[in-house]
Amino acid sequence: MKIAIDGMGGDHSPHVVIEGCIDAIKEYNDIEIIITGPEEVLKREVSKYSYNSEKISILDAKEIISNNEHPVMAIRRKKDSSIYRALELVKKDEADAVISAGSTGAFLAGATLVVGRIKGVNRPALAPVMPGKNGPFMVIDCGANAESKPNNLVQFAKMGEIYFENILKIGNPSIGLINIGAEEEKGNELTKEAHKLLKECDFNFVGNVEPREIPTGDVNVLVCDGFIGNTVLKMYEGVAQTIFSTLKDEIMSSFRTKLGGALLKPVFTKFKKDFDYKEYGGAAFLGVDGICIKAHGSSDSKAIKNAIRQAVTFYENDIIGKIKIHIEEKMV
Amino acid sequence: MKIAIDGMGGDHSPHVVIEGCIDAIKEYNDIEIIITGPEEVLKREVSKYSYNSEKISILDAKEIISNNEHPVMAIRRKKDSSIYRALELVKKDEADAVISAGSTGAFLAGATLVVGRIKGVNRPALAPVMPGKNGPFMVIDCGANAESKPNNLVQFAKMGEIYFENILKIGNPSIGLINIGAEEEKGNELTKEAHKLLKECDFNFVGNVEPREIPTGDVNVLVCDGFIGNTVLKMYEGVAQTIFSTLKDEIMSSFRTKLGGALLKPVFTKFKKDFDYKEYGGAAFLGVDGICIKAHGSSDSKAIKNAIRQAVTFYENDIIGKIKIHIEEKMV
């Protein structure tokens, strides 16, 4: 299997990207990685490691797309960017998957424009898996589409189900609709109509899920439009960050509390591990005709390595093929 | 000042409601409270306390609206419910404010139907104030409207500004638009258009605020449609709850961690106090022609007492009058 990686994406590139790739080729057999980006920069970086040089190659790409650029414009103009070159490898069948920790907007726009949608999928969706108290959960869509139609949400649910069953090996996952009330008639036009459609489908549909319940992880696949999903994702991060930074400040404020903090170190470490989004790799962009994985902008080498593992599992389980079969069946 | 209180609203009614009222009349002069609900039940409950009986009266209301009922239907049918009777007192000018910890949907529907909108306000909005790391922030609308138009968000901003300046005494509060990207062109049709309108207004408008930044409290008034606001509010509660229940479980798991937990007790207590939503009373329902305050369903007597204090400040500062003046000026 060949994996293309945007060498210049993310807050700590290229070094964490390179390190993640080096770790991955040591751990997973049968993979080859093509890293895209300015040749000189990348060569200097990989030269710091000893590794099997047949497993990693570099594809020169002179341009870089930053987070501040208009995503669609940037993808259209910068055809020699590290993101574009990586996506192109999948399009040309020179790679089986592509990973980037760079600009989410540019990666999603590029994946749609360059790699293209699976025929029959109306809207590809960004689908991160997050750690919940009682297990992992997926929020789909987390921001690929700022507006969605009810039938889009049904496709999101199906793609999420396929992913959960095959990647996370959780059979017959529960599907919930994120809504601002538990009752069927609650919500806006989108959720009311989507609720009706989801109920008619062959899912393990558990109905509406209020955002308060999301972090428990009791429901596996949570569907919503991209604006809501992105809000959920960012609130999850923001609230956790605020709580822990506040606790940390307070713990450091006296001898007693410092001692308490030291005694609770295993608790905080376990918490950090249990709620580490990096464990699940990146966010899959489901519905495009190729394995496209968006790693978090703040990814470290472990997150990159896990995104590579995720791409491998994705490939071995032929998720794209399974989505295609489902969509075709529905269209006949 | 006369305040009407739904005696049967909330998870712990009527006892916490009564207790909150008793505490309030002891602390605030010049208030009289009318508690609505089944006369016998309420009389038995108040008889447990010694208090100035001129300050509290009971208005019989035989029906109760539960959280499971369809809000609009319930308000239309149950004219002898504790919520309806309390709202009616404001409509008839027999009370200056109304507070309920009962069904949010029924209270908002009732406030709109019975008390009525301020002329010129298109959509009243639910506006809780929440504790952030660096100060309190308001999210408006938090669920009164499942769909909003761009100009509604401008009115939300103005009402939030008036509230912040007069109740929280924070002059020229910053106004932000909740959006899934910091750049102006990000988001859906609603946020793109609302951004343009807000920029043209005479606000201290700081632009888009990503949900990740909300819990810091660095921006005072955050405007959004009710679906988003409700999602933000419930994620805030849900994530915090999940984190603390997980930490608690872990702390109780060994002697060492129990000891650490005991040493950190002041930290957790301070945190709980600093992030106690009850400090700010209930959520004001802004844009209706009367002081309507929705207390949290899980309110304790302190939350009820604070909601009463909030109603007093609201009244003394004539927020309704100030909203009316602003709306009239805009309509001339």
Side-chain angles (χ1 to χ4, degrees):
Chain A
M1 180 192 183
K2 283 186 182 173
I3 300 169
I5 298 195
D6 165 13
M8 303 309 286
D11 306 339
H12 315 293
S13 66
H15 66 279
V16 298
V17 178
I18 306 286
E19 197 183 320
C21 291
I22 302 279
D23 292 345
I25 56 163
K26 285 178 180 163
E27 200 162 323
Y28 313 118
N29 298 320
D30 306 322
I31 61 166
E32 281 173 49
I33 297 176
I34 308 155
I35 309 174
T36 60
E39 201 166 12
E40 263 185 67
V41 177
L42 296 180
K43 276 199 170 153
R44 196 179 53 217
E45 194 62 34
V46 293
S47 72
K48 295 176 185 166
Y49 301 88
S50 66
Y51 63 97
N52 179 346
S53 63
E54 280 172 20
K55 298 278 195 176
I56 291 184
S57 58
I58 287 164
L59 177 70
D60 189 36
K62 294 195 165 48
E63 291 172 300
I64 291 166
I65 295 177
S66 82
N67 280 325
N68 306 322
E69 290 178 75
H70 188 286
V72 180
M73 303 269 207
I75 274 293
R76 289 222 165 105
R77 281 185 199 149
K78 294 187 167 173
K79 302 242 155 105
D80 195 25
S81 62
S82 55
I83 291 188
Y84 195 97
R85 289 285 181 216
L87 288 160
E88 213 177 29
L89 287 170
V90 170
K91 178 64 187 173
K92 290 180 182 164
D93 274 331
E94 289 170 24
D96 304 298
V98 52
I99 298 168
S100 173
S103 157
T104 306
F107 184 69
L108 300 187
T112 312
L113 289 168
V114 180
V115 178
R117 281 180 291 143
I118 290 173
K119 203 180 150 190
V121 170
N122 297 316
R123 298 281 188 155
L126 192 63
V129 172
M130 284 177 275
K133 188 174 186 201
N134 305 320
F137 62 91
M138 168 187 276
V139 177
I140 178 170
D141 170 35
C142 258
N145 312 283
E147 334 239 5
S148 304
K149 299 213 169 75
N151 64 331
N152 301 152
L153 267 58
V154 175
Q155 284 192 341
F156 296 169
K158 189 67 206 181
M159 294 192 294
E161 186 190 58
I162 292 171
Y163 187 98
F164 242 79
E165 286 188 336
N166 292 281
I167 306 271
L168 299 171
K169 309 293 178 195
I170 294 177
N172 198 26
S174 51
I175 312 280
L177 173 67
I178 297 182
N179 206 346
I180 59 172
E183 305 81 11
E184 191 170 340
E185 72 280 0
K186 284 281 174 77
N188 55 21
E189 290 311 310
L190 172 67
T191 58
K192 282 179 205 168
E193 191 55 36
H195 191 109
K196 279 186 211 155
L197 295 178
L198 286 163
K199 241 175 56 175
E200 287 162 12
C201 293
D202 193 20
F203 292 127
N204 177 13
F205 181 55
V206 297
N208 293 341
V209 174
E210 289 200 75
R212 194 186 281 123
E213 308 301 325
I214 295 173
T216 63
D218 288 331
V219 180
N220 302 134
V221 178
L222 296 149
V223 298
C224 58
D225 81 58
F227 198 109
I228 292 294
N230 201 273
T231 301
V232 165
L233 180 71
K234 287 179 181 162
M235 279 300 291
Y236 202 47
E237 287 183 15
V239 177
Q241 224 163 57
T242 298
I243 290 177
F244 285 108
S245 81
T246 307
L247 286 180
K248 203 178 165 188
D249 291 352
E250 290 300 327
I251 287 172
M252 296 313 285
S253 70
S254 79
F255 175 74
R256 172 189 167 149
T257 53
K258 272 184 199 164
L259 181 60
L263 288 169
L264 284 191
K265 214 174 166 206
V267 168
F268 291 122
T269 307
K270 183 171 186 303
F271 188 92
K272 220 174 149 186
K273 192 178 167 292
D274 289 349
F275 284 82
D276 184 6
Y277 66 87
K278 295 184 195 99
E279 277 301 318
Y280 301 103
F285 189 38
L286 298 176
V288 284
D289 198 4
I291 302 171
C292 297
I293 291 167
K294 175 62 190 56
H296 202 288
S298 67
S299 289
D300 57 14
S301 61
K302 183 184 154 200
I304 297 291
K305 197 190 79 178
N306 286 344
I308 294 169
R309 183 194 63 202
Q310 183 187 13
V312 172
T313 320
F314 207 116
Y315 180 76
E316 285 171 350
N317 288 279
D318 190 23
I319 307 296
I320 305 281
K322 283 176 178 132
I323 293 174
K324 280 182 181 169
I325 288 168
H326 168 77
I327 298 287
E328 264 166 28
E329 274 170 5
K330 289 284 156 187
M331 291 172 82
V332 171
Chain B
M1 180 193 181
K2 285 187 179 171
I3 300 169
I5 297 195
D6 165 14
M8 303 308 285
D11 306 340
H12 315 294
S13 65
H15 67 279
V16 298
V17 178
I18 306 286
E19 197 183 320
C21 291
I22 301 281
D23 291 345
I25 57 162
K26 288 180 180 162
E27 200 161 324
Y28 313 120
N29 299 321
D30 306 322
I31 61 166
E32 280 174 48
I33 297 177
I34 308 157
I35 310 175
T36 62
E39 202 166 11
E40 265 185 64
V41 177
L42 296 180
K43 277 198 169 154
R44 198 180 50 220
E45 194 62 34
V46 291
S47 71
K48 295 177 186 167
Y49 301 87
S50 66
Y51 63 97
N52 179 347
S53 63
E54 280 173 20
K55 297 279 196 176
I56 291 185
S57 59
I58 286 165
L59 177 71
D60 189 36
K62 294 197 165 47
E63 294 173 298
I64 290 165
I65 295 177
S66 81
N67 279 324
N68 306 321
E69 291 178 74
H70 189 284
V72 181
M73 303 269 208
I75 273 293
R76 289 222 164 105
R77 281 184 198 150
K78 293 187 167 174
K79 303 243 153 105
D80 195 26
S81 61
S82 57
I83 291 187
Y84 195 96
R85 289 285 181 214
L87 288 161
E88 214 177 26
L89 288 171
V90 169
K91 178 64 186 172
K92 289 180 183 165
D93 274 332
E94 290 169 22
D96 304 300
V98 52
I99 298 169
S100 174
S103 156
T104 306
F107 185 70
L108 300 188
T112 312
L113 289 169
V114 181
V115 178
R117 280 180 290 144
I118 290 173
K119 203 180 149 190
V121 170
N122 298 316
R123 300 281 187 155
L126 192 63
V129 173
M130 285 178 275
K133 190 176 184 199
N134 304 321
F137 61 92
M138 167 186 277
V139 177
I140 177 168
D141 171 35
C142 258
N145 313 283
E147 334 240 3
S148 304
K149 300 214 170 73
N151 63 330
N152 302 152
L153 268 59
V154 175
Q155 284 192 341
F156 297 169
K158 189 68 205 179
M159 296 193 293
E161 186 191 57
I162 291 171
Y163 187 99
F164 242 79
E165 286 188 337
N166 292 282
I167 306 271
L168 299 171
K169 310 293 179 194
I170 293 177
N172 198 26
S174 50
I175 312 280
L177 172 68
I178 298 182
N179 206 346
I180 58 170
E183 305 80 11
E184 190 169 340
E185 71 280 0
K186 282 282 175 75
N188 56 21
E189 290 312 311
L190 173 67
T191 58
K192 281 179 207 168
E193 192 55 33
H195 190 108
K196 278 185 212 156
L197 296 178
L198 286 163
K199 242 175 52 176
E200 286 162 13
C201 293
D202 194 19
F203 293 126
N204 176 11
F205 181 55
V206 297
N208 293 339
V209 175
E210 289 200 74
R212 193 186 282 124
E213 308 302 326
I214 295 173
T216 63
D218 289 331
V219 180
N220 302 133
V221 178
L222 296 149
V223 299
C224 58
D225 80 60
F227 197 108
I228 293 294
N230 201 274
T231 301
V232 165
L233 180 71
K234 288 178 179 164
M235 280 299 292
Y236 201 47
E237 287 182 17
V239 176
Q241 224 163 59
T242 298
I243 289 176
F244 284 108
S245 81
T246 307
L247 285 181
K248 201 178 166 188
D249 292 351
E250 291 299 328
I251 286 171
M252 297 313 286
S253 70
S254 79
F255 176 74
R256 170 187 169 150
T257 53
K258 272 183 198 163
L259 181 61
L263 289 169
L264 284 192
K265 213 172 167 210
V267 167
F268 291 121
T269 307
K270 182 169 187 304
F271 188 93
K272 221 174 148 184
K273 191 177 166 294
D274 290 350
F275 283 82
D276 185 5
Y277 65 88
K278 294 184 195 99
E279 278 301 319
Y280 301 101
F285 189 38
L286 298 176
V288 283
D289 198 4
I291 302 171
C292 298
I293 290 167
K294 173 65 191 58
H296 202 286
S298 68
S299 288
D300 57 15
S301 61
K302 183 185 155 200
I304 297 292
K305 197 191 78 175
N306 286 343
I308 293 169
R309 183 193 62 201
Q310 183 186 13
V312 172
T313 320
F314 208 114
Y315 180 75
E316 285 172 349
N317 289 279
D318 189 24
I319 307 297
I320 306 281
K322 283 178 179 131
I323 294 175
K324 278 182 182 169
I325 289 168
H326 169 76
I327 298 288
E328 265 166 28
E329 274 171 5
K330 289 283 156 187
M331 291 171 84
V332 171

